[in-house]
Amino acid sequence: MLNWGSWIPSWWAIGPYTGKETAGLVVWLGTWAILHWTLGRIEVKLKPWTIGFAVAFIVNLIILWPTVYHAILWWPSLPNTLPGGEG
């Protein structure tokens, strides 16, 4: 992965992250090209996609709120699992 990102400026200071960035860029460009080729001539209705995105975004915000995910994972009511019962 380190050699893949050698085209990025200051790549040696970032390390293997540059290769991961390059792989992500290649996947994104490939996916964009495939979707452009398959959906290029289709008129997509934007309103249902916008509503779906907004609902999913709000649900994700609620689930990531600490009081909600603590309740989902039962964090306050979990028994002490440390060795020896410390904590």
Side-chain angles (χ1 to χ4, degrees):
M1 288 302 237
L2 188 59
N3 290 335
W4 284 14
S6 61
W7 63 276
I8 297 177
S10 300
W11 66 273
W12 60 88
I14 302 173
Y17 183 69
T18 57
K20 295 173 187 170
E21 271 299 298
T22 303
L25 178 65
V26 167
V27 168
W28 180 76
L29 287 173
T31 305
W32 182 86
I34 290 169
L35 287 175
H36 179 71
W37 181 67
T38 57
L39 299 176
R41 296 185 183 106
I42 297 174
E43 180 115 8
V44 179
K45 293 182 181 177
L46 190 59
K47 188 173 183 178
W49 288 99
T50 305
I51 292 171
F53 173 80
V55 168
F57 187 79
I58 291 170
V59 167
N60 280 323
L61 280 178
I62 291 171
I63 288 176
L64 290 175
W65 191 27
T67 54
V68 174
Y69 71 75
H70 284 190
I72 291 171
L73 297 175
W74 297 4
W75 279 4
S77 62
L78 287 177
N80 187 353
T81 57
L82 291 174
E86 299 116 10

